[in-house]
Amino acid sequence: MAVLDAFRLDDKVAVVTGGNQGLGEAFAHALAGVGAQVVLAARSRERSESVAADIGAEGGAATVVEVDVTQPDQVEQMLSEVTQRVGPVDILVNNAGTCYHRPAAEVPLEEWHDVFNVNVHGLWYCAQTVGRQMIERKTGVIVNIGSMSGFIVNRPQIQPAYNASKAAVHHLTRSLAAEWAPYNVRVNALAPGYVRTSMAPVDRPEFRRNWIEDAPMQRAALPEELGPSLVYLASDASSFMTGTVLVIDGGYTLW
């Protein structure tokens, strides 16, 4: 196989949760760009339809499925619908996530549970449900979207629930990778640093000092810069990699 051919995902079905905005949207475009049949699995059908239309205009293929990843029955229905409409899932990108900024002593119970319901429980429901199908087929790739926040304590914003949830994502990734490797199911994680999205207001003065000026590369990433790394993890280019957390942070965690 030629080197660049290893990155191709022709005829592969790739589900991206939260794939209709921010990083998820960039991931969906990247996967479609290398030939995958992308499934945008998110709560807002209208937004997903818009992203699917953009992918189609670029010559890619995208399907929309409505799902709330915090509801196990909806995740089961999502897999059934995807399998019937476009085929079994070859690639699952667990991207859906949420975050609140609040000091630990002031975090209300509902916010703590909301973060874990989306970032950990929702990811678990999707990984387990789709993973069962992959185990049965003895093939598949799961990419969990973690964060450098799983390794550090961010500043100046305080986000204990988010940090803890991403650390959980990283170790769950390793646990699933170890268990499912004999079934030819690979599980890795991508841990971004600060990226210019609606979740990360990188240009606000109160954040720039720590988020940008403290980073060796002195900038935030653009969402599309993470697309190639996601494709690498999802494709045969990383065929001997499992249980790895790939950090893409502009060097932020070096200091």
Side-chain angles (χ1 to χ4, degrees):
M1 179 184 295
V3 170
L4 290 181
D5 289 343
F7 292 85
R8 294 294 307 178
L9 294 171
D10 301 289
D11 302 320
K12 300 291 186 181
V13 175
V15 172
V16 183
T17 67
N20 61 7
Q21 61 182 333
L23 281 178
E25 181 176 353
F27 294 152
H29 279 274
L31 292 166
V34 291
Q37 166 69 58
V38 175
V39 179
L40 305 170
R43 287 181 292 186
S44 172
R45 175 171 288 276
E46 183 178 358
R47 176 63 184 161
S48 295
E49 294 285 5
S50 175
V51 174
D54 290 341
I55 290 173
E58 296 171 355
T63 301
V64 172
V65 175
E66 247 183 290
V67 64
D68 180 347
V69 298
T70 69
Q71 303 301 313
D73 57 334
Q74 290 192 32
V75 173
E76 293 278 0
Q77 178 58 37
M78 178 271 291
L79 178 61
S80 177
E81 186 175 346
V82 170
T83 303
Q84 291 174 11
R85 290 172 60 183
V86 293
V89 177
D90 300 294
I91 299 157
L92 170 65
V93 180
N94 277 314
N95 168 76
T98 193
C99 179
Y100 298 97
H101 295 171
R102 200 182 302 276
E106 302 172 12
V107 174
L109 194 58
E110 59 269 22
E111 283 188 3
W112 178 271
H113 284 302
D114 189 34
V115 170
F116 270 78
N117 282 339
V118 178
N119 296 4
V120 181
H121 302 158
L123 182 148
W124 166 252
Y125 300 147
C126 291
Q128 185 185 52
T129 301
V130 177
R132 287 172 178 145
Q133 185 187 75
M134 291 178 172
I135 288 169
E136 184 177 348
R137 298 177 63 224
K138 290 187 170 52
T139 183
V141 176
I142 297 174
V143 183
N144 296 323
I145 305 306
S147 171
M148 71 174 183
S149 300
F151 298 105
I152 65 168
V153 176
N154 303 71
R155 58 180 184 165
Q157 82 281 19
I158 306 299
Q159 50 188 43
Y162 183 82
N163 295 351
S165 74
K166 291 304 182 177
V169 167
H170 295 170
H171 208 55
L172 177 58
T173 295
R174 298 182 185 99
S175 297
L176 295 178
E179 185 177 345
W180 292 351
Y183 302 100
N184 196 34
V185 176
R186 297 190 298 111
V187 187
N188 291 294
L190 182 64
Y194 290 115
V195 184
R196 192 176 295 277
T197 69
S198 59
M199 278 188 70
V202 295
D203 293 321
R204 282 170 52 178
E206 67 267 37
F207 295 135
R208 182 174 178 82
R209 166 64 185 84
N210 297 117
W211 291 12
I212 304 302
E213 295 177 20
D214 277 354
M217 291 186 71
Q218 298 278 290
R219 68 178 181 88
L222 297 175
E224 54 268 29
E225 289 185 277
L226 274 71
S229 297
L230 187 280
V231 168
Y232 167 68
L233 293 177
S235 70
D236 285 343
S238 61
S239 59
F240 197 53
M241 176 186 285
T242 198
T244 293
V245 181
L246 181 62
V247 180
I248 308 291
D249 67 352
Y252 194 94
T253 55
L254 295 173
W255 293 338

